[in-house]
Amino acid sequence: MIERRFPGLRMAGPGPFGAAVLALALLLWARPAAAAGFPSAYVVADVPVDATAQSAVQAREAARLDGERRAFRQLLERLTQKGDWQRLPQPSDDTIVNLIQDFEVKDEHSSSVRYLASYTYRFSPNGVRKLLHEAHLTVTELASKPVVIVPLLRTGDTARLWDDPNPWRAAWGAANGRSGLVPWVLPTGDLADMSVLDAPAAGKPAPEQLQALAQHYGGGDVVVATAAPGGDGLEVTVARYSPDGSADPVTVQVPGAKADTALYAAGVVAAEKALEDKWKQLTFGGGEQESILSVTVPITSAADWGAVRERLSKIPFVRGEQVDLFGHSEVHIRLRVRGSADLLKIGFAQQDLVFTPGQPTATLALKTPVSAAQPASAAPVSAGQ
């Protein structure tokens, strides 16, 4: 996706320093970029399969085919607008298999006639893009920066957050937060978390509480996911808070006769879908037209430039880049991009890049320069990560 070209590259800075800068620039471009993480938008996690047949082998094959079909349909619906779902392609089973890059299996159980398991699939981004492009469908694949999930359980007048038992929190802990358009992390509920936020405050958290949780887990926004069981199922409300404390809550109903593990798991799926739907509303409409964006990148070290390059490689609407000027304090580049200025700003922000439109050049800066970043302490990771 990234074009490593530098015809016409100009060197800023005189004498030996300029020569050293140019040599470093060429070295950085000659080296392979750091391997970008697999796009979470193309991961479909925790697909349950259950099939019965005349033999265990036949049951497993039937379950596998069913899982692949459902996972692929889920992926296509995730990447497209609801109004286009009737026009989604329906490829053969062989085509779907060829689009699966790899998969993971867990919780396998089988008998002589039955097979149960949970599958996580990683689909080929290029292959899926091509299929949807040929169907003339608009696609969104820009993933949000991971959000921090705060599972709040309300039963009657009681609210539970970090204390046990909390089956709602347990359901999030059993799920996979690394996939989808809105990946998430789950706090461990340690003493530090308890000191930042308690159950009463979770209903309307203060900006400083949100910032503390986000910084602790290296995520983006904080999402308070509230579940309230009732006689007809589970009422789930997800509120994604921006750093200033504003939110636009969404409430969904999850039907069920009993507040058991299965109902809470279904509530997690419903909450994830609500988050993705809101994110799609924000990131759709960028258009397919490509344009050239002239950008100035302030840097304080070669490490800054390396970090910018790596982050650009993870943004799907950046289709190519070319360096025009490499200086000791800034780099001038041209980006080949797709999308509106608003979409660009949102996308860059997911990689902690601050985008400021401007004429004739825009500015793209690291939110925190590498040299100024403090050594990251290992954040605790929950069982759901």
Side-chain angles (χ1 to χ4, degrees):
M1 179 174 69
I2 299 299
E3 299 175 349
R4 297 194 181 104
R5 303 180 300 153
F6 37 87
L9 171 66
R10 293 187 293 117
M11 175 183 65
F17 175 79
V21 169
L22 177 58
L24 178 59
L26 297 178
L27 177 62
L28 286 172
W29 279 96
R31 290 169 53 194
F38 191 85
S40 62
Y42 290 89
V43 180
V44 182
D46 297 337
V47 179
V49 298
D50 184 353
T52 301
Q54 293 182 342
S55 70
V57 173
Q58 291 176 329
R60 180 175 181 176
E61 180 66 11
R64 181 186 63 81
L65 284 173
D66 178 59
E68 291 169 352
R69 292 167 184 161
R70 288 189 291 112
F72 188 68
R73 178 71 186 193
Q74 182 179 334
L75 173 68
L76 297 192
E77 291 184 357
R78 169 191 294 167
L79 299 176
T80 57
Q81 302 181 78
K82 189 172 184 179
D84 290 335
W85 287 357
Q86 291 184 339
R87 299 193 298 117
L88 290 177
Q90 299 182 7
S92 66
D93 290 336
D94 287 343
T95 299
I96 294 175
V97 168
N98 289 333
L99 289 171
I100 296 174
Q101 184 159 311
D102 56 53
F103 62 89
E104 299 175 10
V105 187
K106 68 177 183 179
D107 299 332
E108 276 190 305
H109 302 281
S110 63
S111 68
S112 59
V113 294
R114 189 181 181 188
Y115 176 81
L116 302 91
S118 177
Y119 279 68
T120 292
Y121 299 93
R122 299 202 312 171
F123 289 89
S124 165
N126 289 336
V128 175
R129 288 187 196 114
K130 183 174 184 293
L131 186 71
L132 292 174
H133 179 73
E134 291 174 347
H136 306 289
L137 293 169
T138 302
V139 175
T140 182
E141 55 183 319
L142 176 63
S144 164
K145 188 177 181 180
V147 299
V148 180
I149 292 290
V150 177
L152 182 65
L153 178 63
R154 293 194 180 278
T155 51
D157 296 330
T158 303
R160 278 179 282 178
L161 181 55
W162 310 120
D163 50 329
D164 292 319
N166 184 340
W168 178 230
R169 176 178 167 76
W172 284 95
N176 186 333
R178 296 187 299 271
S179 68
L181 291 175
V182 186
W184 49 266
V185 295
L186 182 69
T188 59
D190 57 15
L191 289 176
D193 294 335
M194 294 180 187
S195 66
V196 168
L197 192 67
D198 58 18
K204 194 173 182 180
E208 57 270 20
Q209 293 172 313
L210 299 170
Q211 292 169 13
L213 271 180
Q215 291 174 2
H216 189 187
Y217 291 95
D221 296 338
V222 174
V223 174
V224 177
T226 304
D232 55 353
L234 198 65
E235 181 181 87
V236 176
T237 300
V238 289
R240 179 170 179 165
Y241 288 89
S242 60
D244 64 1
S246 60
D248 184 15
V250 177
T251 299
V252 294
Q253 300 291 331
V254 184
K258 183 180 180 182
D260 55 9
T261 301
L263 181 62
Y264 285 111
V268 169
V269 173
E272 290 176 322
K273 186 176 185 305
L275 285 172
E276 289 197 343
D277 287 345
K278 292 289 289 185
W279 181 250
K280 286 165 69 172
Q281 292 173 20
L282 186 65
T283 58
F284 251 122
E288 292 294 327
Q289 188 67 35
E290 289 189 354
S291 60
I292 301 299
L293 180 67
S294 295
V295 174
T296 297
V297 182
I299 60 171
T300 59
S301 66
D304 284 353
W305 173 233
V308 170
R309 286 184 58 217
E310 180 181 4
R311 296 179 194 190
L312 286 175
S313 73
K314 298 177 181 179
I315 302 174
F317 57 66
V318 176
R319 302 301 178 86
E321 65 185 42
Q322 178 172 319
V323 177
D324 292 327
L325 173 69
F326 195 103
H328 70 280
S329 62
E330 63 183 25
V331 181
H332 292 186
I333 60 176
R334 280 176 285 165
L335 296 177
R336 183 159 53 88
V337 299
R338 174 183 57 80
S340 64
D342 288 342
L343 180 60
L344 293 175
K345 190 171 184 178
I346 293 170
F348 289 131
Q350 304 317 301
Q351 294 297 327
D352 285 334
L353 295 170
V354 180
F355 176 68
T356 306
Q359 292 295 335
T361 63
T363 301
L364 187 64
L366 288 167
K367 186 176 181 180
T368 304
V370 175
S371 57
Q374 297 297 320
S377 58
V381 179
S382 75
Q385 307 312 306

